Amino acid sequence: MAQIEVGADEITYSTAISACGRCCEWQKSLQLLHVMAQGNVQFSPITFGAAISGCEKAGEWRTALELFSMMARCELEWDTISSSAVISAFEKGSEWENALQLLSAMFHCKIVPGTVPFNAGISACEKAAAWEKALQVFSEMYLSAADMETITFNAAISACET
């Protein structure tokens, strides 16, 4: 039987990186990014977003931020997915000030944050007992017309209880 060789492309790598992240194997995601670079496979925001999401799930905010910075070095524009994942990583790492800085930068770069980054920002403030900042983010979310969910209200209420 004849063998067929199939080359891996950006989609193949992004899928594998995403699968690694879902299985809490964020280090393997980084290895796959390295293999992509060695094989001259073009990176995309989707590829980085998948790797950043894996780091976020593992609570590796420093690595998520480094990957986010690499996107700029690769001349890739941020997107909502990668930005949201970094903000969520900051929230899990108790880095509420960094979360709010990135949330603000999203507006500056004309990226409209959705529900996830706003909720992560509010939750990060809640965990830091920064209730005034949590309410500020809540207000910005309201003004931006992002979908407010039960999680949004619960996080804002919890922030005020601390």
Side-chain angles (χ1 to χ4, degrees):
M1 181 187 285
Q3 289 185 341
I4 300 173
E5 284 192 36
V6 178
D9 61 4
E10 182 269 331
I11 295 170
T12 307
Y13 278 105
S14 294
T15 303
I17 288 168
S18 182
C20 289
R22 283 193 306 273
C23 296
C24 296
E25 295 287 343
W26 62 275
Q27 298 97 333
K28 288 186 179 160
S29 295
L30 300 181
Q31 291 171 353
L32 288 170
L33 284 174
H34 183 71
V35 170
M36 282 181 76
Q38 287 179 325
N40 292 323
V41 178
Q42 187 170 359
F43 293 118
S44 75
I46 295 169
T47 308
F48 276 99
I52 291 168
S53 292
C55 293
E56 175 259 324
K57 286 175 182 58
E60 294 291 328
W61 69 267
R62 286 181 180 89
T63 307
L65 180 59
E66 179 58 31
L67 290 171
F68 194 66
S69 298
M70 279 179 64
M71 287 180 70
R73 291 195 300 273
C74 292
E75 298 181 3
L76 296 173
E77 291 187 21
W78 317 353
D79 62 1
T80 305
I81 295 168
S82 57
S83 303
S84 297
V86 175
I87 291 171
S88 293
F90 284 146
E91 180 243 332
K92 288 180 179 162
S94 300
E95 292 290 318
W96 68 275
E97 291 168 316
N98 285 333
L100 297 187
Q101 285 178 350
L102 184 51
L103 197 54
S104 176
M106 288 177 77
F107 281 108
H108 182 72
C109 293
K110 307 283 190 259
I111 299 171
V112 180
T115 304
V116 173
F118 275 120
N119 285 347
I122 293 168
S123 293
C125 293
E126 172 211 344
K127 290 177 182 176
W131 66 270
E132 292 168 325
K133 293 290 186 183
L135 291 181
Q136 181 181 349
V137 175
F138 182 84
S139 177
E140 289 171 5
M141 184 176 184
Y142 177 78
L143 294 173
S144 75
D147 291 333
M148 299 178 103
E149 302 172 338
T150 304
I151 294 170
T152 309
F153 292 100
N154 287 341
I157 291 166
S158 293
C160 293
E161 292 175 341
T162 56

